[in-house]
Amino acid sequence: MLPSRGVVFETGSYGDPAATNQRDYWRVAFQLVKRAKFDLGMLVLMSAVLIPLDIHLKDWLLSTKAVAVLGIAMSIFIGFRNTQAISRWWEARTLWGSVVNKSRCWADGLRGLLSKQQWQSARTQHLVQLQVAIAWQLNFELRNFWHPDLQLMRQQLLHQLALPVNSTVRSLSAQRAMAIQQLAEEQWISERGRIHLLEISDAMTDAVGGLERIRNTPIPPPYDLFVRVINWVFGTQLLLSFESQGSPITGILLFFGFLIAERIGAYVEGPFDQDGSSFSMPLNTICVGISEDLMPSELDYGRYRPSRNPVFWN
């Protein structure tokens, strides 16, 4: 039943759902222009050279039917590429969702399996901190890039765990596995509890492997080259065709539209980019969420403050 008019609703402290506001559209446009500056520069140069020249268009232009067929093919290729790019991005986000959930399960599992005294022990708290360290290390390894204050926070966390600064996701995961073995050997947990914690650890390993696959396997270079070349061929034909009809500006704008559409797909294919734009994933924000779930208010992020705005959320 819908609430009646005039009812005043209270606002919680959880923040609004992430969304792009219309006033931020210019920021998205700026990010696109910044990323595609080389392509846009080439478009401007090509337009400046071809439009003023008195060339014999019939020697350059394809037939109208050929241009139409090329346009259909271009739309299919761009649509397919963008669909695959979004699929890669969404799979990465789903896997990071699994990292978040399994991190919570790790802490909840320890709390449920151990006694109150054991849960409050420094040993158990180190196991919780270890999971947080794994999440941050995975963030940095996927991007090969970090905010200086977050890197300092990570070093301090590893120092608390008495682990080397050059620890990797693999070495930290091995530490987690050995910790599970020690809990079982010292009878802090039962065999069933050991299996439960190992299942959480295995699920984390699966998520890490999936994220590394996405990071290390770009779209096949021949396909990338083919789509980009055919896009420029089609765009050039559009430009010349509308120039022959006395509407060069229309040709430039259409060329610009196809160029940007193709470039968006190329940018979204890399969900772990370094520039913190809306093309990449909110890895820092996700890791802050994991940290606050497992270690509320214990970590100092320095000057870094997470944002829920998808335009600049990294």
Side-chain angles (χ1 to χ4, degrees):
M1 181 176 181
L2 295 175
S4 60
R5 293 183 179 180
V7 176
V8 178
F9 295 94
E10 294 185 5
T11 302
S13 60
Y14 307 106
D16 296 328
T20 303
N21 297 318
Q22 291 185 0
R23 64 176 179 272
D24 289 328
Y25 285 175
W26 68 271
R27 296 179 182 269
V28 178
F30 175 76
Q31 292 173 6
L32 276 170
V33 171
K34 182 179 179 181
R35 281 289 196 93
K37 56 182 179 293
F38 173 78
D39 297 85
L40 296 179
M42 289 296 296
L43 174 58
V44 171
L45 179 61
M46 179 180 294
S47 302
V49 170
L50 293 181
I51 291 177
L53 291 180
D54 183 18
I55 60 177
H56 298 287
L57 293 177
K58 64 180 181 179
D59 297 331
W60 293 75
L61 276 173
L62 298 175
S63 67
T64 303
K65 291 184 178 180
V67 174
V69 171
L70 191 60
I72 295 173
M74 195 66 251
S75 298
I76 293 174
F77 281 119
I78 291 179
F80 177 78
R81 176 169 198 172
N82 286 5
T83 299
Q84 295 302 308
I86 292 296
S87 296
R88 282 170 56 90
W89 194 98
W90 189 248
E91 182 186 3
R93 183 61 187 88
T94 301
L95 290 171
W96 263 104
S98 178
V99 171
V100 173
N101 292 338
K102 295 308 175 183
S103 296
R104 293 168 177 166
C105 288
W106 174 256
D108 292 347
L110 289 172
R111 185 187 293 270
L113 291 170
L114 302 176
S115 67
K116 182 178 180 180
Q117 183 178 3
Q118 290 173 331
W119 165 254
Q120 294 176 344
S121 67
R123 176 182 186 178
T124 304
Q125 295 310 305
H126 278 199
L127 292 180
V128 175
Q129 294 171 0
L130 179 61
Q131 180 64 29
V132 174
I134 291 174
W136 280 107
Q137 184 62 36
L138 177 61
N139 174 358
F140 297 150
E141 288 187 15
L142 289 175
R143 299 173 69 189
N144 195 32
F145 175 83
W146 48 80
H147 189 287
D149 292 337
L150 295 180
Q151 171 68 344
L152 179 60
M153 176 274 297
R154 166 192 167 274
Q155 293 174 353
Q156 293 172 346
L157 180 58
L158 290 175
H159 179 72
Q160 292 177 15
L161 295 169
L163 294 173
V165 177
N166 61 348
S167 297
T168 64
V169 172
R170 192 72 201 94
S171 65
L172 294 175
S173 298
Q175 287 287 334
R176 183 179 56 201
M178 289 187 292
I180 295 174
Q181 181 183 25
Q182 291 173 359
L183 289 177
E185 289 178 349
E186 298 177 17
Q187 297 184 349
W188 280 41
I189 57 175
S190 64
E191 178 62 18
R192 184 173 181 180
R194 185 183 73 87
I195 293 174
H196 175 66
L197 293 180
L198 284 175
E199 288 175 346
I200 296 174
S201 178
D202 290 343
M204 274 289 300
T205 301
D206 289 341
V208 170
L211 290 167
E212 290 175 343
R213 167 177 52 79
I214 295 173
R215 179 201 191 263
N216 298 327
T217 311
I219 189 172
Y223 183 82
D224 182 35
L225 176 63
F226 173 76
V227 173
R228 196 163 190 183
V229 169
I230 195 174
N231 193 32
W232 276 92
V233 172
F234 174 64
T236 304
Q237 289 297 312
L238 275 179
L239 180 61
L240 294 176
S241 178
F242 279 94
E243 162 65 9
S244 67
Q245 301 173 31
S247 303
I249 299 300
T250 302
I252 293 175
L253 292 177
L254 289 174
F255 193 172
F256 173 80
F258 275 93
L259 183 65
I260 291 299
E262 187 271 333
R263 287 292 83 197
I264 288 176
Y267 302 149
V268 175
E269 282 169 359
F272 310 124
D273 290 336
Q274 298 180 359
D275 61 2
S277 69
S278 55
F279 302 110
S280 51
M281 289 183 56
L283 299 190
N284 291 341
T285 302
I286 293 173
C287 288
V288 168
I290 293 174
S291 302
E292 292 303 311
D293 281 344
L294 275 60
M295 301 173 58
S297 304
E298 292 185 32
L299 297 178
D300 180 12
Y301 308 114
R303 295 163 296 178
Y304 174 80
R305 292 295 178 269
S307 171
R308 292 180 58 81
N309 189 328
V311 178
F312 41 77
W313 53 15
N314 274 325

